[in-house]
Amino acid sequence: MASRPPLRTVSTVSTASSSYSTDSPTAAPPGGVPQSITALLNNPLPSAASSSYWLPWPPPAPLPDAPPPPSNPCEVSRADFAPYLATIADPFARFADIRLHASAELAASDDDSRGARVVSSGLAACLREVPALFFKEDFALEEGATFESACPLGDDNLQERLGQHLDVVEAHLVREIARRSESFYEAQGRLRGLDGEIVAAVGRIRELREVVRVLTGDLVGDAQQVQELNATRGNLVALQEKLTIILYVSQALTALKLLVLAADCAGALDVIDDLQNLLDTDELAGLYCFRHIRDQLGTSLDSVNSILSAEFVRAAVPDGKTVDAMILSNVKRRSSMPLNGTEHEVIIDEEESFILRDRLLPLIICLLRTEKVPAVLRIYRDTLITVMKASIKATVAELLPTLISRPIDSDSVTGDRAADSDAGGQSLANKLRSLSSEGFVQLLSAIFRIVQVHLLQAAEVKRIVEWIMRNLEGNISADATNPVVQHGSSVDFPQENDYGVASRVSNTVTRSTTKLTVFQGKTTDMSSINSIKNVRADVLRESTEAVFAACDAAHGRWAKLLGVRAALHPKLRLQEFLIIYNITEEFIAATEKIGGRLGYNIRGILQQQSKQFVDYQHNVRMTKIKAVLDQETWVGVDVPEEFQAIVLSLSSTDFPVNGMEMPSIDNNSKLSEEGVSTSPETAYSDNGNGTSTTNHENSAESTSQTENSVVGHVRSISQTIVHGGVGYHMVNCGLILLKMLSEYVDISKCLPSLSFEVVQRVVEILKLFNTRTCQLVLGAGAMQVSGLKSITSKHLALASQIISFIYSLIPDIRRVLFLKIPEARKQLLMSELDRVTQDYKIHRDEIHTKLIQIMRERLLANLRKLPQIMESWNGPDDNDLQPSLFAKAVTKEVTYLHRILSQILLEVDVQAIFRQVVQIFHSHITEAFSKLEVNTPQAKNRLCRDVQHILVCIRKLPAQNFSAETIRNYGLLDEFLAEKFGTKLTSD
């Protein structure tokens, strides 16, 4: 045991005194004289030892010795103290004056308000005597204005006045200092007393320290040595533990390198977790040899993550080369066969699904431990998109030479595509444009299969990730309402023979989650649970986004292929375009089913090309119908059975849902747009002023009719086309319009999303047909464009039949076209169709009015010749019993009109027309006959015969009975006959 330290001696009073005299900051020099200049100058009670030659008062005389006490204490009187009182009388008087002065100052300081007023009065007096300029804060004589105010030039008494100001200020300052001097002295005394007490306390503290030192050495020395030995033993044990940890860490780092090189990611993560746990618990704190261990663990962890990421991408992304080669070989083998349909059913085998799950399971678990699953899924998403785009590009490059070498159907090749083919296909776009529609569909079919393989693989990976995350419910509650989980279609894996795998996943993920929590230096609390939930949500979102991105990339490539041929698709036939449209719709539906999100981009492009197809087809038909109308000669044609089938299909309530199934009219069975048919007719031509002239031909009018409007192979031919139980005579342009309307209906049924557009186009073509027909027939435009010499009543009747047929067909067309149109949009289209229907009705009525006008003009023309004919009636030798030329001409023309119209028009239309004709005959002929001056019996007889002849003809006309009489077509002419000649013509 170490020897005790020697005891220290206790400090003496002299030591304390010397310490006090040296340590005190206000120590006095020997003799007791203070070193403060203020105390030396102002102390009223100076020390007796100090020099007194400079003091304002003499030093006090030494007190006399006290007289001896009296022998008897009870006999003390005041006289006994007289010498003493006489000796101290003068100092006592001075002391009393000082106390009196101190009491006055103390009373003044206690009264704050009174003191403030005193100070204020002194300062106010000073300010009254000294100008306020000198008390400003910014007072500076170097400034010109201040100098001029303070020191005006030419003032002789300036120096004296400034001196007076200084004296006033100095006097006030001295007075204020004097008022406060007593407080200063009192504070000075108290400070000196406090210094003395501090010096005494320091001495006592030193004594106590010495006592404590002696007691420590005598009483607790041995115990302290035992404690130090125990501390030494504990340090050695800790050193051994540190050395053990150093050995373990060194071996672990060596094993970690080997595990990383061997790609044993699970073992490497276990080692990294243990080492990280040592770091987080400060087990390696202070070990300089392991100062870089965090960087080493970070590097190893990055290597493990790189290995896991590469393995995950390699296992999740399908081997595109093998799949693409198989699909390409299948497409090349099938490319020589006609395209009868598309087959895009791709199914992943259940065994392959289990193999893929077993490959991905350990990788995903390890990635969950490092919280790198979202980042790896993002890498996987980019890789999947790149591989799929490369597969599509390779497929296009591989298939194009094979598909281009196939013979191209001449009917389906447009001028633009033929030009691209002649150019040699110098670019990929030109090669794609040079493909036939069948070849392009073959290419799309191959791309469809390849995309579907990649997307199904991606969907399978997504389902595996979701299945693994659902097994985390052992640690956190399953979030059944998570929108990320519910988004898209997820199919659970089969549950049989899966209990062991599920249990292994749950246990492994639980252990990994615990290690991950320790790895992050956290405890298993609500914050860690929330962190795990966030990771789970990120994983599910990224797995879903990977499938979304793959679908978007596939849509983009498909849309790009469609965009290259955007100029060709509108020019295809409906069936060709429909095949491309259907395979695109099937592609969109399949990818949306896998991805779970709508492809707005590709749908927009498909809708745009469909609209372009409708617009192009409409423009072609508009141009064609204009050309057909301009070439129309308005002669009747026979109606093939195909057109009657169109009418029946339009009128049927069981209309085909997928389009009209009609016999196709190919190049060998097409409508001729140059058909001409002539027949006996009464012709009229407009002379420009609203009147008409008639071209009379002989009774044996030429009846040459060329039946070349319908050629090819037909099973049966009819004279009329029947709709609603009524037969309508047709001309070439009417049949072509019917065929076009059926094609519009086909487009509407095949492209239901464009039904609204189709209805608008149908309205437009119906308006054009009605307007142009009115211009050509009623406006006599056919005489200029078609080369007709005149517009005859037969032309008008055939035009009326066409207009009436379309008018009756519009409700059926509207019913068929409105099947796919939403109710909200039907009202607008219905109003437009109603206006078109009304226009057709007005047009038909105008044609009938024109026919009536023709007959009226012919009657007026004959009536103008009546006076000349009447001159021969008054001759005495007029014994002709036949009607006059006027009566014969009138009855012949109306009879011919009746024969023509009854052959073409409907019976109800004929009756409506001839009802007005009969009224015109009654009124005009009666008026003309009433104005004639009949004087001779011969003239009266001739007039009576004419009236009777005309009435006989009127009785035969199919006019509706417009009078209350029972006699057919009774009117003014009958009344004229009865009044003038007293006779009456009865009906047959």
Side-chain angles (χ1 to χ4, degrees):
M1 178 178 293
S3 61
R4 288 185 302 180
L7 294 175
R8 291 179 297 177
T9 59
V10 181
S11 60
T12 61
V13 177
S14 62
T15 304
S17 300
S18 62
S19 174
Y20 171 77
S21 63
T22 56
D23 294 341
S24 176
T26 60
V33 179
Q35 297 179 2
S36 176
I37 187 65
T38 305
L40 293 176
L41 294 177
N42 297 301
N43 188 7
L45 300 175
S47 176
S50 61
S51 299
S52 61
Y53 65 92
W54 46 266
L55 293 176
W57 55 82
L63 296 176
D65 296 333
S71 60
N72 189 2
C74 296
E75 295 178 1
V76 176
S77 64
R78 183 177 179 84
D80 295 333
F81 297 97
Y84 177 77
L85 292 175
T87 305
I88 66 171
D90 189 29
F92 179 78
R94 192 166 51 250
F95 174 75
D97 292 337
I98 293 173
R99 291 292 301 272
L100 181 61
H101 180 72
S103 300
E105 287 186 352
L106 181 62
S109 62
D110 290 340
D111 191 359
D112 294 336
S113 60
R114 183 183 302 173
R117 286 196 298 270
V118 171
V119 173
S120 175
S121 61
L123 293 176
C126 180
L127 290 176
R128 284 195 299 270
E129 297 179 13
V130 180
L133 173 67
F134 296 98
F135 294 100
K136 290 185 177 179
E137 295 182 358
D138 56 348
F139 179 80
L141 285 176
E142 59 267 19
E143 295 183 1
T146 305
F147 184 80
E148 290 179 0
S149 300
C151 304
L153 298 178
D155 189 356
D156 298 335
N157 298 324
L158 175 62
Q159 183 175 1
E160 182 180 357
R161 187 169 59 255
L162 292 178
Q164 291 176 357
H165 294 336
L166 290 175
D167 294 339
V168 170
V169 173
E170 183 178 0
H172 282 284
L173 289 176
V174 170
R175 188 179 300 116
E176 294 297 326
I177 292 172
R179 288 178 181 176
R180 291 166 175 80
S181 60
E182 184 67 23
S183 299
F184 173 77
Y185 298 144
E186 183 179 358
Q188 186 77 12
R190 292 182 180 180
L191 181 61
R192 291 174 62 88
L194 179 62
D195 290 342
E197 293 178 358
I198 291 174
V199 170
V202 169
R204 288 193 295 271
I205 291 173
R206 286 177 180 176
E207 293 175 357
L208 290 175
R209 284 180 178 177
E210 185 65 22
V211 173
V212 170
R213 185 185 67 79
V214 173
L215 291 177
T216 300
D218 293 340
L219 299 178
V220 298
D222 295 337
Q224 184 178 5
Q225 186 177 6
V226 172
Q227 186 179 8
E228 291 175 356
L229 292 176
N230 287 331
T232 303
R233 180 179 177 275
N235 291 336
L236 292 176
V237 173
L239 177 60
Q240 184 181 7
E241 293 178 356
K242 287 292 182 181
L243 292 176
T244 304
I245 292 174
I246 291 172
L247 178 62
Y248 171 77
V249 171
S250 178
Q251 294 175 353
L253 290 175
T254 304
L256 179 61
K257 293 180 181 178
L258 296 177
L259 291 174
V260 172
L261 291 176
D264 187 356
C265 297
L269 288 177
D270 290 338
V271 175
I272 292 174
D273 289 344
D274 293 338
L275 293 177
Q276 189 67 41
N277 187 23
L278 291 176
L279 288 173
D280 293 338
T281 55
D282 294 333
E283 293 290 340
L284 303 180
L287 296 178
Y288 185 77
C289 58
F290 294 140
R291 64 187 182 277
H292 300 304
I293 191 171
R294 289 187 183 273
D295 297 336
Q296 294 175 3
L297 291 181
T299 303
S300 300
L301 187 60
D302 293 340
S303 301
V304 171
N305 288 329
S306 300
I307 295 172
L308 291 173
S309 176
E311 289 295 329
F312 181 86
V313 171
R314 188 180 300 110
V317 177
D319 186 7
K321 294 183 178 179
T322 304
V323 177
D324 298 349
M326 180 183 65
I327 294 176
L328 289 175
S329 62
N330 186 21
V331 172
K332 290 180 180 179
R333 184 176 64 254
R334 293 170 56 88
S335 62
S336 59
M337 298 184 295
L339 182 63
N340 296 324
T342 56
E343 298 178 358
H344 308 110
E345 188 68 23
V346 178
I347 301 175
I348 295 182
D349 190 10
E350 184 177 355
E351 182 178 358
E352 295 178 356
S353 176
F354 280 109
I355 293 173
L356 178 62
R357 187 182 64 180
D358 291 338
R359 291 181 63 187
L360 294 180
L361 179 60
L363 300 176
I364 295 176
I365 292 175
C366 291
L367 289 171
L368 282 174
R369 295 176 60 180
T370 60
E371 290 188 348
K372 292 296 182 181
V373 178
V376 172
L377 286 176
R378 286 190 287 270
I379 298 174
Y380 158 72
R381 176 187 63 192
D382 298 337
T383 306
L384 176 62
I385 294 173
T386 302
V387 171
M388 186 168 59
K389 289 182 178 180
S391 298
I392 295 174
K393 185 176 181 180
T395 302
V396 174
E398 184 73 18
L399 277 180
L400 272 181
T402 303
L403 297 176
I404 291 176
S405 61
R406 294 183 56 195
I408 302 175
D409 186 7
S410 60
D411 293 339
S412 62
V413 178
T414 61
D416 295 338
R417 188 163 52 197
D420 290 335
S421 180
D422 295 340
Q426 297 177 358
S427 65
L428 181 62
N430 290 334
K431 290 180 181 179
L432 288 173
R433 294 189 190 100
S434 63
L435 284 177
S436 63
S437 62
E438 181 180 352
F440 184 66
V441 172
Q442 292 283 357
L443 178 62
L444 292 180
S445 180
I447 294 174
F448 193 172
R449 293 186 180 92
I450 290 174
V451 169
Q452 198 168 18
V453 169
H454 288 80
L455 291 183
L456 285 177
Q457 181 86 351
E460 193 71 18
V461 172
K462 173 177 173 289
R463 286 193 290 269
I464 291 173
V465 173
E466 292 177 352
W467 176 74
I468 293 174
M469 299 309 294
R470 281 197 297 270
N471 284 277
L472 291 175
E473 295 178 356
N475 285 311
I476 55 175
S477 60
D479 190 3
T481 60
N482 195 327
V484 180
V485 178
Q486 294 180 352
H487 191 69
S489 60
S490 61
V491 180
D492 292 336
F493 285 99
Q495 297 298 325
E496 60 273 7
N497 299 327
D498 237 10
Y499 177 77
V501 179
S503 177
R504 178 162 55 90
V505 171
S506 179
N507 295 333
T508 306
V509 173
T510 303
R511 184 174 61 255
S512 303
T513 305
T514 305
K515 289 185 178 181
L516 182 61
T517 305
V518 176
F519 177 83
Q520 294 176 343
K522 299 177 182 177
T523 59
T524 306
D525 54 3
M526 290 304 298
S527 61
S528 63
I529 294 177
N530 293 332
S531 177
I532 295 173
K533 287 184 178 181
N534 294 334
V535 172
R536 178 173 178 265
D538 292 340
V539 170
L540 295 178
R541 183 180 63 253
E542 291 298 336
S543 64
T544 305
E545 286 295 331
V547 183
F548 287 167
C551 291
D552 292 341
H555 288 173
R557 288 295 171 176
W558 193 284
K560 190 173 182 180
L561 291 174
L562 293 179
V564 171
R565 293 172 57 90
L568 302 178
H569 290 166
K571 303 176 184 179
L572 298 176
R573 292 192 293 253
L574 177 60
Q575 295 302 323
E576 295 175 340
F577 181 80
L578 190 59
I579 293 175
I580 298 175
Y581 181 87
N582 288 337
I583 190 175
T584 304
E585 283 283 355
E586 185 179 353
F587 173 79
I588 295 173
T591 52
E592 288 179 348
K593 181 179 179 181
I594 296 174
R597 186 164 63 181
L598 296 178
Y600 296 103
N601 184 21
I602 189 172
R603 285 187 180 276
I605 292 177
L606 183 62
Q607 187 73 6
Q608 180 184 5
Q609 292 199 3
S610 301
K611 189 176 184 301
Q612 291 175 354
F613 173 79
V614 172
D615 292 339
Y616 179 82
Q617 298 296 327
H618 175 67
N619 293 333
V620 170
R621 283 164 177 77
M622 291 286 285
T623 304
K624 181 178 180 181
I625 198 65
K626 289 178 183 178
V628 170
L629 286 171
D630 290 342
Q631 297 176 5
E632 182 61 61
T633 56
W634 301 100
V635 295
V637 296
D638 294 332
V639 179
E641 184 180 358
E642 290 84 352
F643 296 94
Q644 185 63 55
I646 294 175
V647 175
L648 293 177
S649 62
L650 289 175
S651 303
S652 175
T653 56
D654 299 332
F655 194 81
V657 178
N658 296 326
M660 297 180 59
E661 299 177 356
M662 304 184 316
S664 61
I665 300 178
D666 53 12
N667 293 335
N668 296 324
S669 178
K670 294 182 178 179
L671 290 177
S672 172
E673 300 172 5
E674 300 175 355
V676 178
S677 175
T678 59
S679 59
E681 55 191 15
T682 301
Y684 82 96
S685 61
D686 290 344
N687 56 11
N689 55 5
T691 61
S692 302
T693 58
T694 305
N695 297 328
H696 288 281
E697 301 178 358
N698 53 17
S699 59
E701 296 173 340
S702 61
T703 59
S704 62
Q705 181 175 4
T706 305
E707 298 292 339
N708 61 349
S709 60
V710 179
V711 294
H713 301 284
V714 293
R715 289 181 295 230
S716 63
I717 296 178
S718 176
Q719 296 295 326
T720 59
I721 188 168
V722 180
H723 178 256
V726 179
Y728 297 91
H729 292 269
M730 299 297 292
V731 295
N732 191 40
C733 63
L735 294 180
I736 293 177
L737 178 63
L738 177 61
K739 174 63 177 174
M740 290 181 179
L741 292 176
S742 69
E743 292 172 349
Y744 279 112
V745 173
D746 286 342
I747 295 174
S748 176
K749 289 298 178 182
C750 297
L751 304 175
S753 61
L754 295 176
S755 297
F756 186 83
E757 303 286 340
V758 172
V759 174
Q760 290 182 331
R761 303 305 185 273
V762 169
V763 170
E764 187 176 352
I765 197 171
L766 288 175
K767 287 181 179 179
L768 173 66
F769 185 83
N770 184 50
T771 303
R772 190 57 181 162
T773 302
C774 182
Q775 294 172 354
L776 293 175
V777 180
L778 284 178
M783 297 175 61
Q784 286 78 28
V785 297
S786 302
L788 297 179
K789 296 181 180 180
S790 61
I791 303 299
T792 64
S793 58
K794 187 173 183 179
H795 295 155
L796 292 170
L798 289 172
S800 174
Q801 282 280 276
I802 298 301
I803 298 301
S804 299
F805 171 71
I806 301 301
Y807 174 77
S808 65
L809 194 64
I810 287 177
D812 293 333
I813 295 175
R814 177 172 59 186
R815 176 182 57 82
V816 174
L817 292 179
F818 279 18
L819 292 177
K820 300 295 182 179
I821 297 178
E823 293 294 334
R825 309 185 71 181
K826 283 184 180 180
Q827 191 63 34
L828 177 62
L829 296 178
M830 193 172 297
S831 61
E832 293 184 1
L833 276 175
D834 290 341
R835 284 195 294 269
V836 172
T837 305
Q838 185 65 23
D839 292 341
Y840 271 79
K841 183 178 182 300
I842 293 173
H843 187 190
R844 183 192 62 185
D845 295 341
E846 289 177 351
I847 294 176
H848 295 171
T849 304
K850 185 66 175 179
L851 290 172
I852 296 171
Q853 183 181 0
I854 291 173
M855 198 65 245
R856 180 175 180 276
E857 291 177 355
R858 296 310 310 150
L859 176 62
L860 293 177
N862 290 321
L863 288 176
R864 285 193 291 269
K865 300 177 183 179
L866 183 59
Q868 297 179 358
I869 298 174
M870 184 183 172
E871 293 178 356
S872 60
W873 291 0
N874 295 324
D877 53 350
D878 186 9
N879 297 323
D880 188 5
L881 300 179
Q882 295 295 325
S884 65
L885 295 177
F886 166 75
K888 290 180 179 180
V890 170
T891 55
K892 179 181 179 182
E893 290 179 354
V894 74
T895 302
Y896 180 77
L897 180 63
H898 171 230
R899 178 168 58 85
I900 293 299
L901 298 185
S902 61
Q903 292 175 358
I904 299 176
L905 295 181
L906 303 179
E907 181 179 357
V908 62
D909 295 334
V910 174
Q911 291 180 359
I913 291 172
F914 279 97
R915 179 189 179 192
Q916 299 187 37
V917 170
V918 169
Q919 290 178 349
I920 291 172
F921 269 52
H922 277 292
S923 61
H924 286 72
I925 294 177
T926 301
E927 182 182 0
F929 283 173
S930 299
K931 294 179 180 180
L932 294 178
E933 296 180 0
V934 181
N935 300 323
T936 61
Q938 293 83 0
K940 291 182 179 181
N941 293 333
R942 179 61 63 90
L943 181 59
C944 182
R945 285 195 301 270
D946 287 352
V947 172
Q948 292 177 350
H949 181 74
I950 293 173
L951 285 176
V952 170
C953 179
I954 289 175
R955 295 287 190 271
K956 296 179 180 180
L957 295 178
Q960 299 174 354
N961 191 12
F962 52 86
S963 63
E965 298 290 339
T966 58
I967 301 175
R968 184 182 178 87
N969 298 335
Y970 183 88
L972 295 177
L973 196 57
D974 292 282
E975 296 176 358
F976 175 79
L977 180 63
E979 180 182 353
K980 192 74 175 180
F981 302 102
T983 182
K984 187 176 182 181
L985 183 65
T986 60
S987 60
D988 297 338

